[in-house]
């Protein structure tokens, strides 16, 4: 998710952990504060946009009562798939009578932001009723006034089943504008056909046999969290000096030729083919890959894991908000959430999903990457919260470093 996560490609795949097994994944349950994701192009394309204040006239007309349709934009490979079918979405359409146009056009938080920022800033429709973005980008849109306030009366399952740790993020304390979709981890993947095990980011960035065969993510918060670790800093609490040291670390690795390129989740093809042999990766992607390629291994780095969440959001001027709320409510039924979790292998934000999983796939009921224990979550951390001005500076620094 992946946070640049996922790239348009066939969906039948799953992923893996330090050596745990194919489906050891996680992008919605909840660790305290369940992290952000990453970013990169905001500095290049501009991050601020036009903020819409309460006094601005940006009302939206909902046609849901007469038009049983909606458009949903999501990351590729981020819903259950069976051949050319999406069983859970078909079930929703059958039960609700709402026709869903499902697009997989969110390959990167920043790229998607660039697609919609001008329209949202001008209070114009973006041709979508619902999209899924990572915490930090969701926060940006909440602060800009670009989202419609949700009617929780239309989502009783969300009220009843949203896991406690995700109920009140600082940026949307009452979940007025967002509903979590999935959560996940960022760690390391490698192809055992082409390289020996890689156990840490220190190894990934310094081993001579990996030079020019490594990729990192374009998501600033993911990649820089590990650079801060390598520079002796704390990604959850750092100052400008620590940030500067981490950026210098990244610039050094780029200049040395260690990093082949920076990617979205298009590292999947490169890793399968051996064009890269190890990379920074999202857990769900790796588990999926392992079904087709047992040489793909997932690693919890010695430095720990980045954790993040992705969220349902309804933009201003969307004309089918009530239909979108029905869809969100549907996916907060544990039975439906389990259908998705069994395929995407991410952490579900829905209470009861683990119990419901027994009827979907018993082998996943105790899967630590889908249902992580508190001890496992202790290995996870997230990038510290920053204001818009600081975030934009960090984005510019990151873009400069990866473009060198």
């Amino acid at each position: 998710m992946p946070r640049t996560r996922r790239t348009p490609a066939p969906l039948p795949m799953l992923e893996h952990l330090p050596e745990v097994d194919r489906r050891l994944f996680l992008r919605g349950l909840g660790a305290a504060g369940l992290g952000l994701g990453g970013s990169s192009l905001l500095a290049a394309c501009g991050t601020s946009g036009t903020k819409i204040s309460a006094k601005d006239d940006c009302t939206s007309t909902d046609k849901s009562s007469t038009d049983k349709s909606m458009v949903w934009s999501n990351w590729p490979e981020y819903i259950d798939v069976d051949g050319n079918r999406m069983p859970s979405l078909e079930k929703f359409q059958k039960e609700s009578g709402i026709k869903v146009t499902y697009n997989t056009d969110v390959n990167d938080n920043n790229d998607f932001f660039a697609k919609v920022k001008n329209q949202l800033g001008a209070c114009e429709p973006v041709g979508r009723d619902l999209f899924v973005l990572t915490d930090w980008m969701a926060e940006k849109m909440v602060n800009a006034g670009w989202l419609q306030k949700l009617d929780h009366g239309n989502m009783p399952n969300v009220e009843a089943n949203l896991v406690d740790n995700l109920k009140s993020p600082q940026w949307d304390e009452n979940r007025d504008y967002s509903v979590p979709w999935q959560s996940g981890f960022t760690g390391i993947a490698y192809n055992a056909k082409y390289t020996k095990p890689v156990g840490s980011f220190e190894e990934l960035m310094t081993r001579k046999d990996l030079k020019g065969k490594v990729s990192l993510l374009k998501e600033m918060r993911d990649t820089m969290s590990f650079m801060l670790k390598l520079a002796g800093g704390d990604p959850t609490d750092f100052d400008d000096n620590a940030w500067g040291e981490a950026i210098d670390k990244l610039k050094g690795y780029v200049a040395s030729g260690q990093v082949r390129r920076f990617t979205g989740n298009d590292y999947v093809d490169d890793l399968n083919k051996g064009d890269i042999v190890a990379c920074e990766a999202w857990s769900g992607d790796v588990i999926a890959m392992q079904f087709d390629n047992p040489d793909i291994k997932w690693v919890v780095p010695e430095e720990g894991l980045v954790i993040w969440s992705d969220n349902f959001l309804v933009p201003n001027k969307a004309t089918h908000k009530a239909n979108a709320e029905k869809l969100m409510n549907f996916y907060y039924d544990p039975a439906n959430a389990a259908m998705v979790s069994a395929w995407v292998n991410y952490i579900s934000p829905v209470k009861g999903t683990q119990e419901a999983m027994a009827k979907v796939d018993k082998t996943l009921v105790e899967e630590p990457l889908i249902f992580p224990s508190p001890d496992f979550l202790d290995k996870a951390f997230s990038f510290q919260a920053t204001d818009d001005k600081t975030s934009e500076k960090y984005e510019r620094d990151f873009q400069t470093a990866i473009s060198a």
Side-chain angles (χ1 to χ4, degrees):
M1 156 148 357
R3 344 148 28 143
T4 311
R5 212 168 36 254
R6 320 189 165 277
T7 162
L11 302 172
M13 301 172 25
L14 268 147
E15 322 173 18
H16 195 96
L17 201 212
E19 225 58 66
V20 179
D21 198 348
R22 331 179 278 176
R23 298 144 126 175
L24 21 200
F25 164 158
L26 350 44
R27 265 106 102 12
L29 183 127
L34 268 146
L36 301 80
S39 49
S40 61
L41 299 183
L42 291 184
C45 62
T47 63
S48 300
T50 302
K51 184 172 183 177
I52 296 174
S53 66
K55 68 179 185 300
D56 292 324
D57 182 16
C58 192
T59 57
S60 304
T61 301
D62 195 348
K63 302 178 181 179
S64 296
S65 61
T66 57
D67 185 358
K68 299 301 181 182
S69 67
M70 60 171 288
V71 179
W72 175 13
S73 284
N74 202 357
W75 304 77
E77 303 182 45
Y78 215 15
I79 196 170
D80 51 308
V81 173
D82 182 5
N84 293 321
R85 299 174 52 243
M86 289 176 278
S88 67
L89 195 55
E90 289 183 4
K91 180 182 178 184
F92 169 74
Q93 292 182 115
K94 183 177 180 180
E95 292 180 358
S96 67
I98 296 170
K99 181 180 179 181
V100 180
T101 300
Y102 183 78
N103 298 324
T104 55
D105 56 347
V106 186
N107 184 50
D108 176 290
N109 285 290
N110 299 301
D111 288 348
F112 190 80
F113 178 90
K115 293 177 185 178
V116 300
K117 70 184 181 84
N118 290 338
Q119 295 98 314
L120 289 174
C123 193
E124 297 174 352
V126 296
R128 303 164 178 87
D129 299 293
L130 189 67
F131 47 67
V132 175
L133 297 174
T134 308
D135 286 342
W136 64 272
M137 181 59 79
E139 178 181 11
K140 181 177 289 291
M141 291 196 172
V142 169
N143 292 340
W146 289 356
L147 304 175
Q148 294 190 50
K149 188 172 183 178
L150 302 174
D151 183 349
H152 282 256
N154 291 335
M155 302 183 293
N157 289 340
V158 176
E159 289 294 287
N161 298 328
L162 175 59
V163 295
D164 293 341
N165 285 353
L166 288 177
K167 283 185 176 179
S168 301
Q170 289 184 339
W171 51 273
D172 190 13
E173 290 186 355
N174 299 314
R175 288 292 181 185
D176 289 328
Y177 300 97
S178 64
V179 171
W181 170 240
Q182 304 288 308
S183 294
F185 297 115
T186 305
I188 292 174
Y190 68 92
N191 189 327
K193 181 178 180 180
Y194 300 104
T195 187
K196 62 184 181 181
V198 181
S200 68
F201 262 80
E202 181 72 27
E203 281 189 62
L204 190 69
M205 295 290 94
T206 60
R207 264 180 36 191
K208 293 181 179 179
D209 61 305
L210 299 178
K211 184 174 181 178
K213 301 175 183 178
V214 166
S215 69
L216 297 177
L217 293 169
K218 292 191 295 181
E219 293 283 349
M220 180 270 283
R221 288 166 177 80
D222 284 354
T223 295
M224 289 309 299
S225 288
F226 288 109
M227 294 302 111
L228 282 156
K229 285 274 189 176
L230 294 180
D234 179 357
T236 69
D237 185 12
F238 60 90
D239 58 20
D240 285 347
N241 288 333
W243 172 259
E245 291 174 5
I247 282 290
D248 287 343
K249 277 280 188 184
L250 180 58
K251 288 179 178 177
Y253 296 137
V254 172
S256 72
Q258 186 76 5
V259 182
R260 181 184 181 93
R261 70 187 190 102
F262 290 81
T263 73
N265 85 321
D266 44 331
Y267 62 79
V268 167
D269 289 339
D270 288 348
L271 189 61
N272 267 320
K273 293 185 295 185
D275 290 344
I276 59 172
V277 299
C279 62
E280 184 180 14
W282 290 301
S283 50
D285 288 340
V286 180
I287 299 174
M289 293 171 70
Q290 290 171 339
F291 282 121
D292 294 326
N293 187 348
D295 288 322
I296 303 300
K297 308 298 181 184
W298 164 257
V299 175
V300 176
E302 292 177 9
E303 296 86 359
L305 293 161
V306 176
I307 190 167
W308 41 263
S309 293
D310 291 327
N311 305 270
F312 286 120
L313 308 168
V314 177
N316 286 341
K317 291 299 182 179
T319 55
H320 302 91
K321 182 171 78 78
N323 290 345
E325 290 165 342
K326 288 181 180 179
L327 183 141
M328 289 183 270
N329 189 65
F330 170 86
Y331 279 109
Y332 268 72
D333 180 321
N336 300 328
M339 293 174 69
V340 176
S341 291
W343 198 89
V344 302
N345 290 255
Y346 285 107
I347 307 169
S348 173
V350 181
K351 292 178 181 177
T353 302
Q354 188 168 19
E355 293 77 6
M357 185 64 77
K359 295 183 179 180
V360 178
D361 188 337
K362 291 182 179 179
T363 67
L364 296 180
V365 172
E366 301 299 329
E367 175 49 62
L369 288 182
I370 301 176
F371 306 109
S373 67
D375 287 344
F376 190 88
L377 287 172
D378 283 344
K379 302 173 184 177
F381 55 87
S382 59
F383 194 87
Q384 76 175 15
T386 59
D387 58 38
D388 281 354
K389 184 177 180 180
T390 302
S391 180
E392 290 179 18
K393 175 190 181 303
Y394 288 172
E395 296 286 356
R396 289 193 298 271
D397 292 346
F398 182 67
Q399 277 300 307
T400 299
I402 70 175
S403 301

